[in-house]
Amino acid sequence: MSRMIVPHTTPTPDSDGAPRATRTVRKAVVPAAGLGTRFLPATKATPKEMLPVVDKPAIQYVVEEAAAAGLDDVLMITGRHKRAIEDHFDNAFELEQALTAKGDTVRLDAVRDPARLGDIHHIRQGDPLGLGHAVLCARHHVGDQPFAVLLGDDLIDPRETLLSRMLEVRDQYGGSVVALMEVPPEQIHLYGCAAVEPSGEDGVVRVTGLVEKPSRENAPSRYAVIGRYVLDPAVFGVLERTPPGRGGEIQLTDALQELATGGTVHGVVFDGLRYDTGDRADYLRTVVRLACARDDLGPEFVAWLKEFVAGLEEDGGQERNRLAA
Ligand code: UTP
């Protein structure tokens, strides 16, 4: 199967402010070193990023999203017990041989696809000291270039184009760009939250401050930061001196707060489909939604689902109880 990558270009000013040759945003960083405690015991020996969403692990959708936006150099931040991620994006010699011998080209492609998504690199975080620390681990690989960060358990529906829009906004304004979603006030304590001002452009805001998991009372807005970022390399210098914050972790939000104070952070407001597959209920919703959207499985699955839901409605949830018994 061939894959077309359209590199995304970011013009950057020279030190004297004059336009310089265009620079390419090619690199994506995928933090996947977290412990996944919300999904135990499934995540005791299996990385949460490897939990299947229909028939692909969650992290494959994330890398496919990066590739679709033209980012063909992907650095995974992994850790102990995350070998399955490395194996998934590698060749699988025996499996490929067996499928070749059978002439099963469809499954052969499915096995080969993950390794073809780009140049995939891995680095270990050591100890999971927080998302900010995970991003800092990418410093040498990324160098002095803007780069994207896609959280390995956070899925944006494959039909959306959020990341490409964020890369355009980085082109336009420079600095860093975060993805924001409006959430109900009672959920804001689960997210980083942004204080914002209008930018004059529809769907784009200036971020004036950021706070990690604020209480409902202290939240500056209902804009939650979700797991997509386009970051200026200036973030590394800030992260290096960012002390542990909420939960004793080095928080990316705290570093972005400093950059926001300097007026260099914008937000793209997203109102599409996004799933946190590290959360059990959201994981279930993800599987159902994406299964329904599949050409091969969808029609049969939707028919069954309708029947199942009708059954639940008729007997007031008794079927659920019967099955659980
Ligand atoms: P989460 O907070 O969702 O991950 O971090 P977690 O700590 O694994 O989750 P729970 O609460 O225990 O279930 C968001 C992303 O940042 C990565 C995670 O793998 C996830 O993709 N992360 C988090 C790291 O890579 N390193 C860390 O130290 C922390």
Side-chain angles (χ1 to χ4, degrees):
M1 197 182 84
S2 69
R3 172 178 58 90
M4 190 172 76
I5 287 185
V6 184
H8 194 89
T9 55
T10 301
T12 53
D14 234 336
S15 48
D16 60 1
R20 189 165 64 182
T22 54
R23 189 183 263 180
T24 304
V25 178
R26 277 191 52 230
K27 292 185 178 169
V29 174
V30 180
L35 295 177
T37 56
R38 283 170 296 158
F39 226 128
L40 283 168
T43 47
K44 183 179 172 192
T46 304
K48 67 173 167 178
E49 297 81 4
M50 288 300 293
L51 294 176
V53 175
V54 190
D55 53 8
K56 289 189 284 193
I59 197 166
Q60 185 173 336
Y61 291 86
V62 173
V63 178
E64 285 172 354
E65 181 191 340
L71 308 179
D72 60 353
D73 181 307
V74 178
L75 176 68
M76 311 262 183
I77 313 292
T78 66
R80 288 185 292 282
H81 313 305
K82 300 275 182 172
R83 271 284 306 277
I85 297 179
E86 294 171 24
D87 290 344
H88 185 72
F89 290 96
D90 197 357
N91 297 331
F93 182 69
E94 287 93 351
L95 202 48
E96 289 177 32
Q97 255 197 340
L99 292 167
T100 305
K102 278 190 188 172
D104 190 342
T105 52
V106 174
R107 291 199 176 91
L108 187 60
D109 269 341
V111 165
R112 287 179 171 163
D113 279 348
R116 292 165 168 169
L117 286 168
D119 292 331
I120 314 242
H121 310 266
H122 306 269
I123 190 171
R124 287 194 173 194
Q125 191 183 359
D127 292 319
L129 301 179
L131 178 57
H133 181 258
V135 171
L136 189 54
C137 291
R139 184 177 201 163
H140 290 297
H141 183 86
V142 165
D144 188 26
Q145 303 278 328
F147 62 104
V149 173
L150 297 86
L151 300 193
D153 59 344
D154 210 330
L155 253 69
I156 301 298
D157 194 283
R159 293 159 284 187
E160 307 282 358
T161 54
L162 171 65
L163 188 56
S164 297
R165 178 70 189 123
M166 293 175 73
L167 291 167
E168 281 168 13
V169 170
R170 153 78 203 189
D171 279 0
Q172 204 176 334
Y173 297 96
S176 297
V177 183
V178 296
L180 300 174
M181 242 182 140
E182 248 185 302
V183 299
E186 63 275 15
Q187 286 179 19
I188 198 71
H189 70 281
L190 301 170
Y191 298 90
C193 176
V196 301
E197 282 176 356
S199 71
E201 189 177 347
D202 225 19
V204 180
V205 289
R206 266 181 14 87
V207 175
T208 57
L210 284 150
V211 50
E212 182 65 19
K213 299 191 170 75
S215 66
R216 182 181 176 157
E217 298 71 39
N218 294 330
S221 75
R222 285 171 50 182
Y223 284 118
V225 179
I226 58 168
R228 296 293 179 272
Y229 308 80
V230 178
L231 298 178
D232 190 86
V235 75
F236 292 127
V238 181
L239 277 170
E240 217 168 34
R241 54 185 151 76
T242 299
R246 209 181 158 90
E249 296 191 342
I250 297 172
Q251 299 286 357
L252 180 59
T253 308
D254 293 345
L256 290 174
Q257 153 65 13
E258 185 173 324
L259 295 177
T261 312
T264 59
V265 181
H266 282 79
V268 170
V269 179
F270 180 64
D271 60 3
L273 295 170
R274 172 254 173 191
Y275 318 97
D276 176 4
T277 63
D279 173 81
R280 291 171 303 173
D282 221 16
Y283 170 81
L284 294 173
R285 284 188 278 270
T286 314
V287 174
V288 171
R289 270 193 190 268
L290 294 186
C292 288
R294 285 270 294 252
D295 289 339
D296 53 350
L297 298 166
E300 206 181 320
F301 182 64
V302 169
W304 173 83
L305 193 59
K306 281 182 180 162
E307 221 172 277
F308 177 68
V309 172
L312 287 181
E313 279 164 3
E314 269 167 31
D315 71 4
Q318 292 308 303
E319 176 162 7
R320 186 188 56 192
N321 297 336
R322 252 200 322 276
L323 290 173

